[in-house]
Amino acid sequence: MSITVERLGSSFVAEVHGVDIENLSDADWTVLHRAYLENKILVIPDQDLSVHAFAALGARFGEVVRHPVAKFAHPDEPDVMMLSNDTSYGKPVGVKDAGSFWHSDRSYMQRTSNETMLYSVEIPDEGGDTYFADLEAAYEDLPDATKRRIGGLRYISHYRWTKDRDDPESRWSFMTPEERANTPPTDRPVVRIHPETGRKALFVFPGITTGVKGIVGMEEAESDALLEDLYGHLTQDKFQYRFKWGGPGTVLIWDNRCVMHKATTKQLSADKIRTLYRISTLGGVP
Ligand code: SIN
């Protein structure tokens, strides 16, 4: 069986066939990993994986890291988080919404996440798509003057920080004292250099989990204006790819160092059940 890789989006996202995830040879791993670095997002359909096999795939990429909010870990595989809007057992099977706003996983932590992987267990006949944006394409598309202006800038990120402290999604609403203590503010470069490819990406995010407080050393008004400009730029349709989950048995892998994403699960009605396994690997300090 030979591996085929077909580009789906204009600058990123590829679909992979012919890969035996449970018996991945070193040669196939090399092909898969190169395809991942080149395409930033891989879609691997038609899989039949146990939660343990999915966890093993995560471990092949790197050190698996648990989500800072622990209550929706899979009962048999604590490294795997459950995403689900299924409440038919009397309580939620998993977290319903892993982020209906643009973000990159763990961008607010000292050590960020390299890969995030999802595996579809149950997919509704419509809805629940996942959106992605290519942060390297967005960086490349900036005017040279903006590239020069933001080149050395850093910003402060604080998990679920928001100017609006009454926002029900802010970090104060549901985190334990320990979870809060584990997510202190951290500083990030506005432009991140990918440690494996050397490519540059815009690395700021409008989503609440990333809690971008402001550019270091810049007046608040100037910082807010610059961030708003960058968010407007990043979220243009031309950098996006809308991934439609075809059904169960699909593995999706993305590179948080150069891609941001958002879920649409909040828009799902109660009769449209969607359940996925989720894994993240530990990355470096940008
Ligand atoms: C995630 O944000 O990790 C999951 C995205 C999704 O549920 O579509």
Side-chain angles (χ1 to χ4, degrees):
M1 191 161 51
S2 70
I3 297 181
T4 60
V5 180
E6 184 196 350
R7 174 61 70 81
L8 299 180
S10 56
S11 67
F12 68 155
V13 193
E15 186 163 299
V16 178
H17 289 275
V19 57
D20 183 354
I21 288 178
E22 286 183 83
N23 302 290
L24 207 52
S25 66
D26 287 346
D28 283 356
W29 163 252
T30 303
V31 173
L32 190 70
H33 194 249
R34 190 179 306 132
Y36 157 72
L37 287 178
E38 277 171 17
N39 294 285
K40 308 169 200 180
I41 301 175
L42 295 183
V43 179
I44 313 176
D46 306 323
Q47 301 299 310
D48 184 12
L49 300 182
S50 67
V51 68
H52 307 296
F54 181 60
L57 177 66
R60 189 81 195 235
F61 274 84
E63 181 185 342
V64 172
V65 61
R66 296 179 187 174
H67 193 272
V69 180
K71 68 179 173 181
F72 290 120
H74 190 286
D76 301 328
E77 267 293 354
D79 287 344
V80 172
M81 182 183 177
M82 299 292 297
L83 302 184
S84 185
N85 60 338
D86 188 353
T87 52
S88 54
Y89 300 97
K91 62 177 186 146
V93 167
V95 62
K96 179 181 172 190
D97 172 40
S100 300
F101 37 72
W102 288 112
H103 66 286
S104 163
D105 292 324
R106 287 179 61 92
S107 70
Y108 49 84
M109 298 293 279
Q110 181 69 4
R111 291 185 65 182
T112 58
S113 174
N114 285 352
E115 294 78 30
T116 297
M117 305 179 195
L118 301 179
Y119 176 69
S120 54
V121 177
E122 185 173 1
I123 295 296
D125 52 3
E126 61 176 2
D129 306 341
T130 308
Y131 283 77
F132 293 95
D134 184 342
L135 303 173
E136 292 174 344
Y139 174 80
E140 282 310 319
D141 193 57
L142 286 170
D144 286 344
T146 309
K147 286 181 183 164
R148 282 194 296 276
R149 181 179 180 208
I150 64 175
L153 297 180
R154 299 185 75 84
Y155 64 93
I156 300 296
S157 186
H158 193 176
Y159 184 56
R160 291 198 177 265
W161 178 88
T162 165
K163 284 189 177 179
D164 178 5
R165 301 314 305 164
D166 296 326
D167 186 328
E169 292 191 347
S170 90
R171 67 197 160 98
W172 303 118
S173 53
F174 64 92
M175 290 173 77
T176 65
E178 192 189 359
E179 286 166 348
R180 285 185 210 170
N182 287 338
T183 50
T186 186
D187 74 304
R188 302 274 82 120
V190 172
V191 179
R192 183 175 190 178
I193 299 175
H194 196 294
E196 292 186 77
T197 66
R199 294 188 299 246
K200 290 182 176 177
L202 258 183
F203 201 68
V204 282
F205 313 98
I208 184 172
T209 54
T210 59
V212 175
K213 282 183 159 169
I215 308 280
V216 176
M218 198 178 269
E219 290 295 327
E220 187 176 342
E222 188 186 356
S223 165
D224 286 354
L226 175 58
L227 288 169
E228 280 309 315
D229 277 356
L230 294 177
Y231 297 155
H233 177 77
L234 278 172
T235 52
Q236 293 177 83
D237 287 350
K238 64 182 176 180
F239 305 126
Q240 291 184 29
Y241 185 86
R242 177 181 185 173
F243 177 68
K244 287 179 178 292
W245 293 89
T250 295
V251 173
L252 184 65
I253 307 169
W254 68 83
D255 188 340
N256 285 296
R257 297 165 289 189
C258 53
V259 157
M260 67 176 182
H261 64 283
K262 67 174 179 177
T264 57
T265 34
K266 270 195 174 160
Q267 295 148 31
L268 278 179
S269 56
D271 60 324
K272 302 283 183 195
I273 300 299
R274 179 185 189 263
T275 299
L276 299 104
Y277 298 154
R278 179 182 183 281
I279 274 188
S280 247
T281 62
L282 191 59
V285 181

